[in-house]
Amino acid sequence: MYRFLLTPRWIALHIVVLLVIPAFVLLGRWQFGRFEERSANSERVTANIEAGPVPLDRLAAPDRPVRQDDRFRKVTVTGTYDPAHALVVRRRPQEGRNGFYVLTPLVTGQGTGVIVNRGWVPAGPTADAPPEVPPPPTGQVTVTGRLRPGETEESSGITNRSGLPPGQVLLIDADAIGKGLPYRLVGGYVELTAQQPESAAAPAPVPAPDVGAGGGLNLAYGIQWWLFIGIAIGGWILMIRREVAERRAADDASATPKEPEGAAN
């Protein structure tokens, strides 16, 4: 009765099922791994955002770059802005509009400084036109902001290039920016959230990061892939049972004797 399972058509089906099941297992495990990774990242970033501010030098220095685990941690730093070496970062949309981030080094003394992202300004009439940037306050200021590691092409997804207009960059890369400065920069930057004293006019604040659902979609996809395993096995069994039922019905029909013609007369 079950010899049909060894026919070429059924052997091909067995092979497909046996290949699909481990593939779905691996895809499910990969999605569960992404869920754990993103959930851990979401919890870490949320904790950093909610934590109270600490002095910048506790977490970063020119010879101590910002760690990934300290992303978005609130820090405070006091110094004097250096508008002579200010820059703007191209291709930074905000609220559906194209614009620039405004970078101004904050000199903290003893030959050191840190890049401060003071916020966002809209783009000018053309891509190469310099935007209108409110000047930073003069004198000593105390900045509070979110600590960020320096950007790279890999971390940002932005391809860097040369030949930009003066004062414009594509990446917030403290190492590259610091090459033209008379002081050493912290290996990261601070995303300004508050400042004392406040400026009369200032760029628009950069929104807080969207922590997201912590990998909830990955969890759903992982469960989905493992449900497909049950569907594949269940469909395979159902097809075998249906084939067996059809063959039994055909055998029963062929075994039933036919009534002789005219027997009813």
Side-chain angles (χ1 to χ4, degrees), residues 87-110:
L87 300 167
V88 292
V89 189
R90 294 166 64 102
R91 301 180 185 173
R92 300 301 168 119
Q94 188 163 305
E95 297 183 354
R97 301 175 62 192
N98 191 27
F100 298 80
Y101 283 159
V102 177
L103 307 182
T104 309
L106 185 75
V107 182
T108 57
Q110 300 180 347

PDB file of all heavy atoms in Angstrom, residues 87-110:
ATOM      1  N   LEU A  87      31.104  73.483  11.770  1.00  0.00           N
ATOM      2  CA  LEU A  87      30.795  72.760  10.540  1.00  0.00           C
ATOM      3  C   LEU A  87      29.297  72.480  10.476  1.00  0.00           C
ATOM      4  O   LEU A  87      28.594  72.581  11.489  1.00  0.00           O
ATOM      5  CB  LEU A  87      31.552  71.419  10.493  1.00  0.00           C
ATOM      6  CG  LEU A  87      33.071  71.456  10.538  1.00  0.00           C
ATOM      7  CD1 LEU A  87      33.621  70.058  10.806  1.00  0.00           C
ATOM      8  CD2 LEU A  87      33.629  72.003   9.231  1.00  0.00           C
ATOM      9  N   VAL A  88      28.830  72.140   9.281  1.00  0.00           N
ATOM     10  CA  VAL A  88      27.459  71.638   9.144  1.00  0.00           C
ATOM     11  C   VAL A  88      27.523  70.282   8.444  1.00  0.00           C
ATOM     12  O   VAL A  88      28.405  70.025   7.624  1.00  0.00           O
ATOM     13  CB  VAL A  88      26.548  72.609   8.354  1.00  0.00           C
ATOM     14  CG1 VAL A  88      26.303  73.878   9.144  1.00  0.00           C
ATOM     15  CG2 VAL A  88      27.128  72.921   6.980  1.00  0.00           C
ATOM     16  N   VAL A  89      26.592  69.413   8.804  1.00  0.00           N
ATOM     17  CA  VAL A  89      26.562  68.048   8.275  1.00  0.00           C
ATOM     18  C   VAL A  89      25.433  67.946   7.255  1.00  0.00           C
ATOM     19  O   VAL A  89      24.268  68.177   7.577  1.00  0.00           O
ATOM     20  CB  VAL A  89      26.340  67.018   9.396  1.00  0.00           C
ATOM     21  CG1 VAL A  89      26.541  65.601   8.859  1.00  0.00           C
ATOM     22  CG2 VAL A  89      27.275  67.284  10.561  1.00  0.00           C
ATOM     23  N   ARG A  90      25.771  67.607   6.036  1.00  0.00           N
ATOM     24  CA  ARG A  90      24.799  67.519   4.948  1.00  0.00           C
ATOM     25  C   ARG A  90      23.885  66.300   5.099  1.00  0.00           C
ATOM     26  O   ARG A  90      24.192  65.358   5.812  1.00  0.00           O
ATOM     27  CB  ARG A  90      25.528  67.420   3.602  1.00  0.00           C
ATOM     28  CG  ARG A  90      26.319  68.658   3.216  1.00  0.00           C
ATOM     29  CD  ARG A  90      27.265  68.360   2.061  1.00  0.00           C
ATOM     30  NE  ARG A  90      26.571  67.997   0.832  1.00  0.00           N
ATOM     31  CZ  ARG A  90      26.392  68.805  -0.196  1.00  0.00           C
ATOM     32  NH1 ARG A  90      26.839  70.052  -0.129  1.00  0.00           N
ATOM     33  NH2 ARG A  90      25.787  68.397  -1.288  1.00  0.00           N
ATOM     34  N   ARG A  91      22.770  66.377   4.357  1.00  0.00           N
ATOM     35  CA  ARG A  91      21.844  65.246   4.187  1.00  0.00           C
ATOM     36  C   ARG A  91      21.302  64.728   5.508  1.00  0.00           C
ATOM     37  O   ARG A  91      21.285  63.532   5.781  1.00  0.00           O
ATOM     38  CB  ARG A  91      22.525  64.104   3.433  1.00  0.00           C
ATOM     39  CG  ARG A  91      23.025  64.477   2.051  1.00  0.00           C
ATOM     40  CD  ARG A  91      23.688  63.288   1.394  1.00  0.00           C
ATOM     41  NE  ARG A  91      24.294  63.634   0.118  1.00  0.00           N
ATOM     42  CZ  ARG A  91      25.047  62.801  -0.604  1.00  0.00           C
ATOM     43  NH1 ARG A  91      25.267  61.573  -0.162  1.00  0.00           N
ATOM     44  NH2 ARG A  91      25.566  63.177  -1.743  1.00  0.00           N
ATOM     45  N   ARG A  92      20.837  65.630   6.350  1.00  0.00           N
ATOM     46  CA  ARG A  92      20.246  65.230   7.621  1.00  0.00           C
ATOM     47  C   ARG A  92      18.792  65.713   7.674  1.00  0.00           C
ATOM     48  O   ARG A  92      18.493  66.799   8.172  1.00  0.00           O
ATOM     49  CB  ARG A  92      21.058  65.781   8.793  1.00  0.00           C
ATOM     50  CG  ARG A  92      22.497  65.291   8.802  1.00  0.00           C
ATOM     51  CD  ARG A  92      22.567  63.775   8.866  1.00  0.00           C
ATOM     52  NE  ARG A  92      23.889  63.256   8.597  1.00  0.00           N
ATOM     53  CZ  ARG A  92      24.614  62.541   9.463  1.00  0.00           C
ATOM     54  NH1 ARG A  92      24.118  62.269  10.658  1.00  0.00           N
ATOM     55  NH2 ARG A  92      25.809  62.100   9.130  1.00  0.00           N
ATOM     56  N   PRO A  93      17.869  64.928   7.122  1.00  0.00           N
ATOM     57  CA  PRO A  93      16.461  65.332   7.127  1.00  0.00           C
ATOM     58  C   PRO A  93      15.874  65.273   8.540  1.00  0.00           C
ATOM     59  O   PRO A  93      16.301  64.478   9.381  1.00  0.00           O
ATOM     60  CB  PRO A  93      15.796  64.306   6.206  1.00  0.00           C
ATOM     61  CG  PRO A  93      16.682  63.110   6.261  1.00  0.00           C
ATOM     62  CD  PRO A  93      18.074  63.633   6.448  1.00  0.00           C
ATOM     63  N   GLN A  94      14.895  66.124   8.751  1.00  0.00           N
ATOM     64  CA  GLN A  94      14.192  66.143  10.035  1.00  0.00           C
ATOM     65  C   GLN A  94      12.765  66.625   9.792  1.00  0.00           C
ATOM     66  O   GLN A  94      12.550  67.639   9.135  1.00  0.00           O
ATOM     67  CB  GLN A  94      14.923  67.049  11.030  1.00  0.00           C
ATOM     68  CG  GLN A  94      14.378  66.987  12.446  1.00  0.00           C
ATOM     69  CD  GLN A  94      15.362  67.546  13.460  1.00  0.00           C
ATOM     70  OE1 GLN A  94      16.509  67.102  13.539  1.00  0.00           O
ATOM     71  NE2 GLN A  94      14.925  68.530  14.223  1.00  0.00           N
ATOM     72  N   GLU A  95      11.811  65.858  10.301  1.00  0.00           N
ATOM     73  CA  GLU A  95      10.386  66.171  10.121  1.00  0.00           C
ATOM     74  C   GLU A  95      10.038  66.341   8.644  1.00  0.00           C
ATOM     75  O   GLU A  95       9.287  67.248   8.266  1.00  0.00           O
ATOM     76  CB  GLU A  95      10.009  67.419  10.917  1.00  0.00           C
ATOM     77  CG  GLU A  95      10.172  67.244  12.424  1.00  0.00           C
ATOM     78  CD  GLU A  95       9.735  68.460  13.203  1.00  0.00           C
ATOM     79  OE1 GLU A  95       9.408  69.496  12.561  1.00  0.00           O
ATOM     80  OE2 GLU A  95       9.698  68.382  14.447  1.00  0.00           O
ATOM     81  N   GLY A  96      10.614  65.482   7.807  1.00  0.00           N
ATOM     82  CA  GLY A  96      10.278  65.483   6.394  1.00  0.00           C
ATOM     83  C   GLY A  96      10.942  66.563   5.576  1.00  0.00           C
ATOM     84  O   GLY A  96      10.631  66.713   4.385  1.00  0.00           O
ATOM     85  N   ARG A  97      11.863  67.304   6.155  1.00  0.00           N
ATOM     86  CA  ARG A  97      12.546  68.369   5.432  1.00  0.00           C
ATOM     87  C   ARG A  97      14.044  68.102   5.398  1.00  0.00           C
ATOM     88  O   ARG A  97      14.618  67.593   6.364  1.00  0.00           O
ATOM     89  CB  ARG A  97      12.292  69.723   6.103  1.00  0.00           C
ATOM     90  CG  ARG A  97      10.830  70.131   6.192  1.00  0.00           C
ATOM     91  CD  ARG A  97      10.685  71.409   6.980  1.00  0.00           C
ATOM     92  NE  ARG A  97      11.365  72.524   6.340  1.00  0.00           N
ATOM     93  CZ  ARG A  97      11.580  73.689   6.932  1.00  0.00           C
ATOM     94  NH1 ARG A  97      11.184  73.887   8.194  1.00  0.00           N
ATOM     95  NH2 ARG A  97      12.210  74.655   6.274  1.00  0.00           N
ATOM     96  N   ASN A  98      14.681  68.453   4.291  1.00  0.00           N
ATOM     97  CA  ASN A  98      16.122  68.282   4.178  1.00  0.00           C
ATOM     98  C   ASN A  98      16.822  69.411   4.922  1.00  0.00           C
ATOM     99  O   ASN A  98      16.336  70.546   4.977  1.00  0.00           O
ATOM    100  CB  ASN A  98      16.544  68.281   2.708  1.00  0.00           C
ATOM    101  CG  ASN A  98      17.986  67.851   2.547  1.00  0.00           C
ATOM    102  OD1 ASN A  98      18.513  67.112   3.374  1.00  0.00           O
ATOM    103  ND2 ASN A  98      18.633  68.312   1.485  1.00  0.00           N
ATOM    104  N   GLY A  99      17.968  69.081   5.494  1.00  0.00           N
ATOM    105  CA  GLY A  99      18.686  70.106   6.236  1.00  0.00           C
ATOM    106  C   GLY A  99      20.047  69.647   6.686  1.00  0.00           C
ATOM    107  O   GLY A  99      20.612  68.684   6.157  1.00  0.00           O
ATOM    108  N   PHE A 100      20.584  70.370   7.680  1.00  0.00           N
ATOM    109  CA  PHE A 100      21.946  70.153   8.164  1.00  0.00           C
ATOM    110  C   PHE A 100      21.937  70.066   9.688  1.00  0.00           C
ATOM    111  O   PHE A 100      21.143  70.733  10.359  1.00  0.00           O
ATOM    112  CB  PHE A 100      22.849  71.332   7.774  1.00  0.00           C
ATOM    113  CG  PHE A 100      23.019  71.551   6.303  1.00  0.00           C
ATOM    114  CD1 PHE A 100      22.045  72.207   5.556  1.00  0.00           C
ATOM    115  CD2 PHE A 100      24.177  71.147   5.648  1.00  0.00           C
ATOM    116  CE1 PHE A 100      22.210  72.433   4.203  1.00  0.00           C
ATOM    117  CE2 PHE A 100      24.357  71.371   4.297  1.00  0.00           C
ATOM    118  CZ  PHE A 100      23.366  72.015   3.566  1.00  0.00           C
ATOM    119  N   TYR A 101      22.872  69.253  10.209  1.00  0.00           N
ATOM    120  CA  TYR A 101      23.196  69.341  11.624  1.00  0.00           C
ATOM    121  C   TYR A 101      24.288  70.399  11.796  1.00  0.00           C
ATOM    122  O   TYR A 101      25.156  70.562  10.937  1.00  0.00           O
ATOM    123  CB  TYR A 101      23.715  68.010  12.160  1.00  0.00           C
ATOM    124  CG  TYR A 101      22.641  66.973  12.399  1.00  0.00           C
ATOM    125  CD1 TYR A 101      22.962  65.620  12.456  1.00  0.00           C
ATOM    126  CD2 TYR A 101      21.309  67.331  12.584  1.00  0.00           C
ATOM    127  CE1 TYR A 101      21.991  64.659  12.685  1.00  0.00           C
ATOM    128  CE2 TYR A 101      20.335  66.386  12.805  1.00  0.00           C
ATOM    129  CZ  TYR A 101      20.682  65.044  12.855  1.00  0.00           C
ATOM    130  OH  TYR A 101      19.730  64.099  13.079  1.00  0.00           O
ATOM    131  N   VAL A 102      24.240  71.092  12.909  1.00  0.00           N
ATOM    132  CA  VAL A 102      25.195  72.155  13.194  1.00  0.00           C
ATOM    133  C   VAL A 102      26.188  71.650  14.243  1.00  0.00           C
ATOM    134  O   VAL A 102      25.810  71.345  15.378  1.00  0.00           O
ATOM    135  CB  VAL A 102      24.479  73.418  13.716  1.00  0.00           C
ATOM    136  CG1 VAL A 102      25.502  74.500  14.073  1.00  0.00           C
ATOM    137  CG2 VAL A 102      23.482  73.938  12.681  1.00  0.00           C
ATOM    138  N   LEU A 103      27.458  71.553  13.853  1.00  0.00           N
ATOM    139  CA  LEU A 103      28.509  71.087  14.750  1.00  0.00           C
ATOM    140  C   LEU A 103      29.390  72.256  15.152  1.00  0.00           C
ATOM    141  O   LEU A 103      29.906  72.979  14.292  1.00  0.00           O
ATOM    142  CB  LEU A 103      29.383  70.027  14.072  1.00  0.00           C
ATOM    143  CG  LEU A 103      28.682  68.813  13.451  1.00  0.00           C
ATOM    144  CD1 LEU A 103      29.730  67.860  12.877  1.00  0.00           C
ATOM    145  CD2 LEU A 103      27.801  68.104  14.464  1.00  0.00           C
ATOM    146  N   THR A 104      29.571  72.415  16.458  1.00  0.00           N
ATOM    147  CA  THR A 104      30.471  73.450  16.955  1.00  0.00           C
ATOM    148  C   THR A 104      31.336  72.845  18.043  1.00  0.00           C
ATOM    149  O   THR A 104      30.807  72.318  19.024  1.00  0.00           O
ATOM    150  CB  THR A 104      29.693  74.650  17.533  1.00  0.00           C
ATOM    151  OG1 THR A 104      28.715  75.099  16.582  1.00  0.00           O
ATOM    152  CG2 THR A 104      30.637  75.793  17.853  1.00  0.00           C
ATOM    153  N   PRO A 105      32.658  72.878  17.900  1.00  0.00           N
ATOM    154  CA  PRO A 105      33.513  72.352  18.962  1.00  0.00           C
ATOM    155  C   PRO A 105      33.362  73.173  20.238  1.00  0.00           C
ATOM    156  O   PRO A 105      33.235  74.400  20.193  1.00  0.00           O
ATOM    157  CB  PRO A 105      34.925  72.470  18.388  1.00  0.00           C
ATOM    158  CG  PRO A 105      34.740  72.616  16.912  1.00  0.00           C
ATOM    159  CD  PRO A 105      33.438  73.318  16.731  1.00  0.00           C
ATOM    160  N   LEU A 106      33.373  72.469  21.354  1.00  0.00           N
ATOM    161  CA  LEU A 106      33.364  73.113  22.665  1.00  0.00           C
ATOM    162  C   LEU A 106      34.726  72.855  23.299  1.00  0.00           C
ATOM    163  O   LEU A 106      35.079  71.705  23.570  1.00  0.00           O
ATOM    164  CB  LEU A 106      32.244  72.545  23.541  1.00  0.00           C
ATOM    165  CG  LEU A 106      32.043  73.214  24.899  1.00  0.00           C
ATOM    166  CD1 LEU A 106      31.353  74.582  24.724  1.00  0.00           C
ATOM    167  CD2 LEU A 106      31.201  72.328  25.824  1.00  0.00           C
ATOM    168  N   VAL A 107      35.487  73.919  23.488  1.00  0.00           N
ATOM    169  CA  VAL A 107      36.827  73.789  24.071  1.00  0.00           C
ATOM    170  C   VAL A 107      36.677  73.710  25.584  1.00  0.00           C
ATOM    171  O   VAL A 107      36.122  74.611  26.219  1.00  0.00           O
ATOM    172  CB  VAL A 107      37.723  74.977  23.669  1.00  0.00           C
ATOM    173  CG1 VAL A 107      39.120  74.799  24.256  1.00  0.00           C
ATOM    174  CG2 VAL A 107      37.792  75.100  22.153  1.00  0.00           C
ATOM    175  N   THR A 108      37.174  72.617  26.147  1.00  0.00           N
ATOM    176  CA  THR A 108      36.960  72.364  27.576  1.00  0.00           C
ATOM    177  C   THR A 108      38.186  72.679  28.426  1.00  0.00           C
ATOM    178  O   THR A 108      38.159  72.492  29.634  1.00  0.00           O
ATOM    179  CB  THR A 108      36.566  70.896  27.792  1.00  0.00           C
ATOM    180  OG1 THR A 108      37.588  70.045  27.258  1.00  0.00           O
ATOM    181  CG2 THR A 108      35.255  70.591  27.094  1.00  0.00           C
ATOM    182  N   GLY A 109      39.257  73.142  27.802  1.00  0.00           N
ATOM    183  CA  GLY A 109      40.464  73.487  28.539  1.00  0.00           C
ATOM    184  C   GLY A 109      41.495  72.386  28.478  1.00  0.00           C
ATOM    185  O   GLY A 109      41.211  71.241  28.109  1.00  0.00           O
ATOM    186  N   GLN A 110      42.743  72.725  28.834  1.00  0.00           N
ATOM    187  CA  GLN A 110      43.862  71.790  28.858  1.00  0.00           C
ATOM    188  C   GLN A 110      44.069  71.119  27.495  1.00  0.00           C
ATOM    189  O   GLN A 110      44.387  69.936  27.412  1.00  0.00           O
ATOM    190  CB  GLN A 110      43.666  70.738  29.952  1.00  0.00           C
ATOM    191  CG  GLN A 110      43.562  71.330  31.350  1.00  0.00           C
ATOM    192  CD  GLN A 110      43.370  70.279  32.425  1.00  0.00           C
ATOM    193  OE1 GLN A 110      43.084  69.115  32.137  1.00  0.00           O
ATOM    194  NE2 GLN A 110      43.518  70.691  33.668  1.00  0.00           N
TER     195      GLN A 110
END
